[in-house]
């Protein structure tokens, strides 16, 4: 009697990952659809020779949707949404490997691999002139106001000019890189009256301005390592007549009177001459009376 015995493979083994803990650093400027972790680093094996089904989840809040796997049977992880270092710098991914489909009622064994992903800041932003104001909720666009200053006609200042709201200064917003920035005047400097220090941004005069005009300089801040990363700001310099005297009040004390219950906007009367409104006047000896 010949007896043929067939051994049926029992599902008694769990899938096994080659590595259960992986760490990956990904540059911020990685292009969408780029593979960030290859299949060979993530594939699981099963001694029962079952087909492996994969599922990827994100553990850290507000970092979901950036990474995905190529398919239910392909654990290769790729980038599906552009990264932003300002939004998050780290996330944790959990990759599950099952020997049965997710919704199967059969006995299922599962293995888990933990993937720690660090985002590395990239050189993505041009310099920002300070002070500046953010114009979007993500705080990755900062707009500066023009700088303003004054110089006296026919007088050359020997020190850096004082500007509002402060000195010319720019920073690299990719702060972990903090690339060196240089300054230059790229427009508006009629007759080369002004110079700017390439390293400090201090604005000085080469010679005196000879007419009462307004210079609207265009100052550029660019990265030394990449001149295409630059920003331009306006610097308005007004040429004025020199002021030798400070303004002063014609009287040290002014006295006025008001009635109880007087309506807002009513005139305050001169205490010495009640028939006249109180007048407060200042004078400046730099200007003749008109």
């Amino acid at each position: 009697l010949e007896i043929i015995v067939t051994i049926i493979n029992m599902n008694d083994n769990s899938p096994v990952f080659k590595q259960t803990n992986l760490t990956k650093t990904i540059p911020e400027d990685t292009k969408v659809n780029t593979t960030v972790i290859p299949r060979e680093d993530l594939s699981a094996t099963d001694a029962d020779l079952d087909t492996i089904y994969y599922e990827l989840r994100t553990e850290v809040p507000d970092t979901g949707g950036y990474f995905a796997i190529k398919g239910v049977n392909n654990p290769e992880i790729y980038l599906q949404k552009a990264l932003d270092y300002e939004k998050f710098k780290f996330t944790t991914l959990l990759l599950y490997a099952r020997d049965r489909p997710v919704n199967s009622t059969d006995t299922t064994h599962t293995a888990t691999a933990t993937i720690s992903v660090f985002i590395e800041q990239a050189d993505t932003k041009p310099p920002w002139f300070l002070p500046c104001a953010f114009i979007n909720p993500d705080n990755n666009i900062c707009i500066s106001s023009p700088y303003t200053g004054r110089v006296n006609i026919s007088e050359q200042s020997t020190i850096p000019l004082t500007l509002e709201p402060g000195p010319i200064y720019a920073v690299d917003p990719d702060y972990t890189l903090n690339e060196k920035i240089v300054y230059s005047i790229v427009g508006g400097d009629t007759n080369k009256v002004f110079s700017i220090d390439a390293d400090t941004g201090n604005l000085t005069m080469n010679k005196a301005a000879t007419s009462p005009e307004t210079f609207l300089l265009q100052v550029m801040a660019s990265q030394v390592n990449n001149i295409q990363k630059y920003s331009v700001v306006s610097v308005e310099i007004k040429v004025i007549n020199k002021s030798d005297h400070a303004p002063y009040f014609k009287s040290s004390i002014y006295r006025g009177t008001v009635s109880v219950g007087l309506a807002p906007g009513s005139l305050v009367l001169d205490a010495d001459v009640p028939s006249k409104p109180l007048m407060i006047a200042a004078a400046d000896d730099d200007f003749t009376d008109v």
Side-chain angles (χ1 to χ4, degrees), residues 128-133 142-147 164-170 233:
W128 289 347
F129 283 98
L130 300 182
C132 64
C142 203
I143 302 299
S144 61
S145 299
Y147 295 94
E164 294 292 340
I168 297 172
Y169 181 61
V233 72

Side-chain angles (χ1 to χ4, degrees), residues 11-74:
N11 183 18
D12 56 353
N13 292 284
S14 297
V16 176
F17 281 107
K18 184 167 56 176
Q19 303 178 72
T20 56
N21 288 281
L22 292 86
T23 299
K24 183 72 174 180
T25 299
I26 302 173
E28 177 188 11
D29 58 352
T30 300
K31 295 185 181 300
V32 172
N33 295 323
T34 298
T35 295
V36 294
I37 305 180
R39 179 173 185 167
E40 52 267 25
D41 291 347
L42 298 170
S43 294
T45 58
D46 190 334
D48 299 320
L49 303 180
D50 290 321
T51 299
I52 306 296
Y53 299 87
Y54 296 95
E55 180 187 7
L56 186 67
R57 295 182 184 175
T58 304
E59 283 294 286
V60 179
D62 301 323
T63 62
Y66 287 88
F67 301 96
I69 55 176
K70 288 293 181 104
V72 68
N73 300 123
N74 183 356

